[in-house]
Amino acid sequence: MNGGKINGDANGHSHKINYEKQKQENNIKYDGKTGGEVIVEKLREHQVSDVFMYSGGAVMPVIDAFHNDPDFNYYITAHEQSLGHAATGYAKVSGKTGVAIVTSGPGLTNMVTPILDATNDSAPLLCISGQVPLAAMGSSAFQECPATDITKSITKWNYCLQSTEEIPYVIDHAMWLSQHGKKGAVHIDVPKCVSASKYSPEKAMNLNDQLFELCSHPENSEEFDFSVECPDDKLLKSNRRSYEWHGKIKNLQHPVDKETFKKMANLINNASCPVFYIGQGCENSADLLTKAAIEARIPVTTTLHAMGLFDETHELALKMCGMHGNYAANHALQKADLIIAVGSRFDDRTTGVINKYAPVAQAAAQNGTGGIIHCNIQPCQINKVLTTDFNFLMDSRIFLENLVPHLKSPTNPQLRENWLDTINEWKMDYPYQFLRAPDNQIKTQDVIKGINEYVLNYVRPTQNNNDKSVIITTGVGNHQMYSTQFVDWYRPNKIVSSGSLGVMGSSNGYAIGAQIADLKNNLVISIDGDGSFNMTSSELMTMIKYNLPIKIAIMNDGSLQMVKVWEKLFYGERYVATHNPCNPDYVQLAESYGLKALRCDNINSLNETVAELIESDGPVLCDFKVLGEECYPLVAPGKALDDMILWDTSHQETMKKMEGQMAPS
């Protein structure tokens, strides 16, 4: 045993990581504690205060260690899947790593969906699962599953503990990794013999250095903590990362220095028709994005998860782009001579068919007057979908911190104002619209518009940085897309929705976690479809158990409306498995759990009902009986981003656009 590892710094000098000192310090702290108690102590050290858990035989030594501990609040949901979504919702709203603890076997397999959801949508999540004892693993023991084999491909990192003495180092690494670089899920599998055994200083001193190498954070890692360093330090580390990828990523800017950003700023200042295309990776930089957009007069469109990073009530906001995105946003991307993509990844839902994407910007790149600038922290996302012209492998905040000082008023103000005038015409001529329902009936769009208007008129005016924060969670389906359209997102990280994986049934769990993230100051509204809500309706029990004042708005159209529409458009109106003919009476269901419940099916009582829903104390559910219909605008599969079917497009023209195309996945 050499007792340490030699790492090199930027100048080629070496320094030694003193593992022996770490071992000795941990021996003092954890001597005689059980593995479960060590886990709880490590979570305390990482300032975890809220834990989502569901017990079972294999995880009992961990669960038991929380008994009567005043530093922790623990929450038990009706089902492990909702537990995982609650931890994810908590993470998205608080910025902290959500902690989910489940038992072995089915406890872990029920967590697979939220683990993948968190990884795909960049939410920091730590899953701790119980496991059968090491000696029983591989014997098909009761409630055994190959946990780390299952989660290996859906986490940033996973590990099966081999001894109690490993716990401090593994927990530290997992917590660090969940938050750094592209955030995501990590998983620690804890055999019962490890969680029940007592920490031994003698065994700890003999831990193999391979564990420390596995859990170390080398300075030339692709992921860093930039919170305390000056801009030059940040650029230095970014250049260390890009050095490894220089020559492997086409058009990668390396080395990056002040002159590089001056060059990019000049390109932006000289552009006639620039647009910001913002993804969730920019969530730590809303202030810099706002400053850049306003000072340089550049319109902003976002992906679903980035909504609110730029105030959508601002004149430069284009709202969300993509398949069901805003007409002005989609056309701006297609007509822009320069696209500045920050923290986004050109997901297929936001680009349309890729060989028709951004033709003006691509032409401008050829003549040196524009193109596509792409900043992303993950090397695998650069040039993954399309080849971009100026690539920056770095954190979004570092990119904007260095770019913004060089941005100026447009070189040709008139051309820029002409561009903005064109965009404003698109916004005026093609807003989100829909036909009113007959006979005073209501549509999902009516309800969501009503919620948005109430928030803007009666909740937002009372807000400041310390007051109530409105958070909206959604399930997946038409109601999700209408929420992106008819809600004006004016603050960062206030939409909690399953984007990449598209998990129906997630809204209840998200809402629970979002509310727990700040019980006093978060106003949490769950906008859900009847199909999504049915999957996890048992979580009403959780809301009443902990008196979580969540406001649930069910868009009840008696069907899986989005898929039903695809059956209409792509499958000759052959409707299979998309009707919900036996929905419960949601009012009676909610009341049976002890919630206040409302019902609304008439446009004349909509505003009054929305006000009562939001202003009532405690958890409240409202069953909105709505008429279902197609969600427009729509970019059909195989079409360019600006080839959109609008709310007033004729049925004949719509069907013509669909010819020969497959339904969306």
Side-chain angles (χ1 to χ4, degrees):
M1 306 292 290
N2 60 29
K5 174 186 175 184
I6 302 299
N7 277 352
D9 64 19
N11 299 314
H13 303 127
S14 63
H15 58 273
K16 189 174 184 178
I17 299 176
N18 193 335
Y19 297 145
E20 298 306 310
K21 182 180 179 182
Q22 292 182 22
K23 293 174 184 178
Q24 290 166 3
E25 291 173 351
N26 285 332
N27 286 347
I28 295 171
K29 287 190 286 186
Y30 308 121
D31 185 12
K33 294 184 183 294
T34 67
E37 290 169 340
V38 176
I39 289 172
V40 170
E41 286 302 316
K42 288 306 301 183
L43 294 178
R44 193 192 325 275
E45 288 176 27
H46 285 279
Q47 300 182 323
V48 173
S49 57
D50 301 296
V51 178
F52 302 86
M53 63 172 63
Y54 206 104
S55 193
V59 78
M60 286 182 69
V62 178
I63 299 294
D64 179 66
F66 286 96
H67 184 251
N68 286 339
D69 194 317
D71 291 340
F72 292 94
N73 302 305
Y74 58 85
Y75 300 89
I76 306 158
T77 58
H79 190 277
E80 288 101 343
Q81 180 173 337
S82 291
L83 178 152
H85 292 312
T88 301
Y90 178 92
K92 288 186 176 185
V93 170
S94 70
K96 303 175 183 177
T97 297
V99 178
I101 302 177
V102 295
T103 195
S104 61
L108 183 278
T109 57
N110 284 339
M111 274 290 296
V112 167
T113 295
I115 286 173
L116 180 56
D117 181 53
T119 295
N120 284 6
D121 284 352
S122 303
L125 174 69
L126 168 60
C127 173
I128 297 174
S129 63
Q131 180 57 281
V132 301
L134 288 166
M137 289 180 66
S139 67
S140 297
F142 178 68
Q143 289 195 334
E144 180 193 1
C145 76
T148 53
D149 288 343
I150 290 172
T151 64
K152 182 178 181 180
S153 62
I154 61 173
T155 54
K156 292 185 69 177
W157 183 72
N158 70 0
Y159 186 76
C160 179
L161 288 165
Q162 301 300 301
S163 72
T164 305
E165 294 71 32
E166 292 180 341
I167 293 173
Y169 313 101
V170 172
I171 294 278
D172 283 345
H173 185 62
M175 292 293 287
W176 180 86
L177 197 58
S178 70
Q179 287 281 359
H180 286 76
K182 186 180 187 293
K183 300 175 184 179
V186 290
H187 169 217
I188 302 173
D189 201 32
V190 189
K192 193 170 185 179
C193 58
V194 172
S195 57
S197 297
K198 291 189 175 182
Y199 183 99
S200 166
E202 293 77 15
K203 292 180 181 178
M205 294 307 292
N206 291 317
L207 284 174
N208 193 298
D209 281 359
Q210 289 181 350
L211 171 72
F212 296 94
E213 293 174 6
L214 179 68
C215 296
S216 66
H217 309 152
E219 285 199 359
N220 62 349
S221 164
E222 68 171 279
E223 307 184 34
F224 305 102
D225 181 357
F226 298 111
S227 58
V228 296
E229 296 154 352
C230 70
D232 287 343
D233 290 334
K234 297 175 186 180
L235 277 184
L236 176 63
K237 287 191 174 182
S238 294
N239 278 322
R240 289 180 190 166
R241 285 192 62 207
S242 62
Y243 177 79
E244 178 185 352
W245 294 94
H246 185 55
K248 301 176 184 176
I249 296 178
K250 187 176 180 180
N251 300 330
L252 180 65
Q253 305 301 295
H254 178 83
V256 176
D257 55 22
K258 191 173 184 178
E259 293 305 313
T260 311
F261 287 101
K262 281 185 177 180
K263 176 184 174 184
M264 290 301 101
N266 287 336
L267 193 66
I268 295 169
N269 296 335
N270 292 330
S272 300
C273 309
V275 63
F276 275 114
Y277 161 55
I278 302 299
Q280 185 184 7
C282 195
E283 67 178 0
N284 62 346
S285 310
D287 56 335
L288 293 173
L289 169 65
T290 300
K291 180 179 176 66
I294 293 175
E295 290 187 358
R297 301 288 290 160
I298 302 173
V300 180
T301 183
T302 72
T303 64
L304 184 151
H305 289 303
M307 291 187 303
L309 295 185
F310 186 78
D311 184 349
E312 291 188 351
T313 64
H314 194 279
E315 63 175 352
L316 291 171
L318 303 179
K319 297 180 75 76
M320 187 183 78
C321 61
M323 179 179 172
H324 291 290
N326 188 278
Y327 182 98
N330 285 8
H331 280 71
L333 287 167
Q334 293 296 87
K335 305 297 191 298
D337 58 358
L338 182 65
I339 296 173
I340 308 130
V342 185
S344 47
R345 60 186 180 90
F346 300 97
D347 174 76
D348 64 294
R349 281 291 202 267
T350 70
T351 63
V353 65
I354 201 65
N355 61 7
K356 296 181 180 179
Y357 182 71
V360 176
Q362 295 197 43
Q366 294 297 316
N367 60 35
T369 59
I372 301 175
I373 300 170
H374 188 198
C375 170
N376 200 292
I377 201 168
Q378 280 196 306
C380 65
Q381 296 296 345
I382 298 176
N383 297 331
K384 181 177 181 179
V385 176
L386 77 162
T387 301
T388 41
D389 305 295
F390 307 94
N391 295 316
F392 291 80
L393 181 60
M394 60 177 58
D395 181 86
S396 295
R397 189 164 190 86
I398 300 171
F399 175 78
L400 289 172
E401 279 178 344
N402 286 276
L403 177 67
V404 169
H406 304 294
L407 292 178
K408 300 177 182 177
S409 299
T411 304
N412 191 325
Q414 189 57 54
L415 287 178
R416 187 69 58 84
E417 290 307 310
N418 291 345
W419 170 236
L420 295 177
D421 288 344
T422 298
I423 286 175
N424 286 331
E425 288 177 10
W426 289 333
K427 291 165 73 171
M428 291 291 293
D429 293 344
Y430 302 100
Y432 291 123
Q433 298 182 71
F434 59 97
L435 290 172
R436 295 293 178 185
D439 304 322
N440 292 325
Q441 298 178 91
I442 57 177
K443 292 183 176 181
T444 299
Q445 301 96 306
D446 290 310
V447 179
I448 296 174
K449 280 191 70 176
I451 291 172
N452 181 60
E453 289 168 3
Y454 191 88
V455 167
L456 291 180
N457 293 329
Y458 298 103
V459 180
R460 185 181 186 183
T462 68
Q463 285 189 329
N464 57 46
N465 290 334
N466 299 314
D467 285 343
K468 274 197 179 296
S469 182
V470 179
I471 296 158
I472 294 178
T473 69
T474 80
V476 170
N478 271 9
H479 71 277
Q480 178 190 30
M481 293 297 98
Y482 289 138
S483 296
T484 68
Q485 296 176 351
F486 292 101
V487 173
D488 291 312
W489 304 92
Y490 57 89
R491 280 189 173 182
N493 303 320
K494 302 308 177 190
I495 179 170
V496 185
S497 189
S498 180
S500 176
L501 193 59
V503 182
M504 291 180 65
S506 57
S507 189
N508 283 328
Y510 287 155
I512 290 167
Q515 189 69 75
I516 289 169
D518 192 336
L519 287 169
K520 294 182 179 179
N521 297 314
N522 286 347
L523 169 59
V524 179
I525 303 170
S526 170
I527 298 176
D528 216 348
D530 54 311
S532 279
F533 180 81
N534 288 344
M535 290 186 170
T536 54
S537 63
S538 57
E539 295 307 331
L540 295 178
M541 175 185 71
T542 308
M543 298 176 194
I544 202 71
K545 179 179 10 177
Y546 299 107
N547 192 28
L548 303 176
I550 296 163
K551 318 307 177 188
I552 304 169
I554 300 177
M555 307 298 112
N556 181 7
D557 58 19
S559 67
L560 307 181
Q561 189 61 222
M562 179 170 278
V563 183
K564 183 180 177 182
V565 167
W566 294 343
E567 288 177 325
K568 175 182 178 180
L569 297 177
F570 299 98
Y571 290 90
E573 299 186 55
R574 298 185 297 278
Y575 300 113
V576 181
T578 51
H579 289 290
N580 293 333
C582 298
N583 278 342
D585 183 319
Y586 293 115
V587 170
Q588 291 187 13
L589 177 67
E591 289 175 343
S592 73
Y593 280 103
L595 278 77
K596 179 178 179 178
L598 310 169
R599 181 179 283 114
C600 181
D601 60 5
N602 190 296
I603 194 72
N604 295 320
S605 60
L606 177 61
N607 290 340
E608 177 185 349
T609 305
V610 167
E612 185 176 2
L613 171 69
I614 294 176
E615 294 298 336
S616 295
D617 294 331
V620 187
L621 178 148
C622 186
D623 177 10
F624 290 98
K625 301 284 287 186
V626 298
L627 291 181
E629 66 176 359
E630 296 88 340
C631 182
Y632 295 126
L634 169 66
V635 177
K639 301 297 182 181
L641 188 61
D642 55 351
D643 188 357
M644 307 178 74
I645 301 169
L646 305 178
W647 68 281
D648 58 352
T649 303
S650 69
H651 179 71
Q652 182 178 7
E653 186 178 351
T654 297
M655 297 312 295
K656 185 176 180 181
K657 286 179 180 285
M658 300 296 179
E659 284 181 6
Q661 303 299 330
M662 294 179 64
S665 58

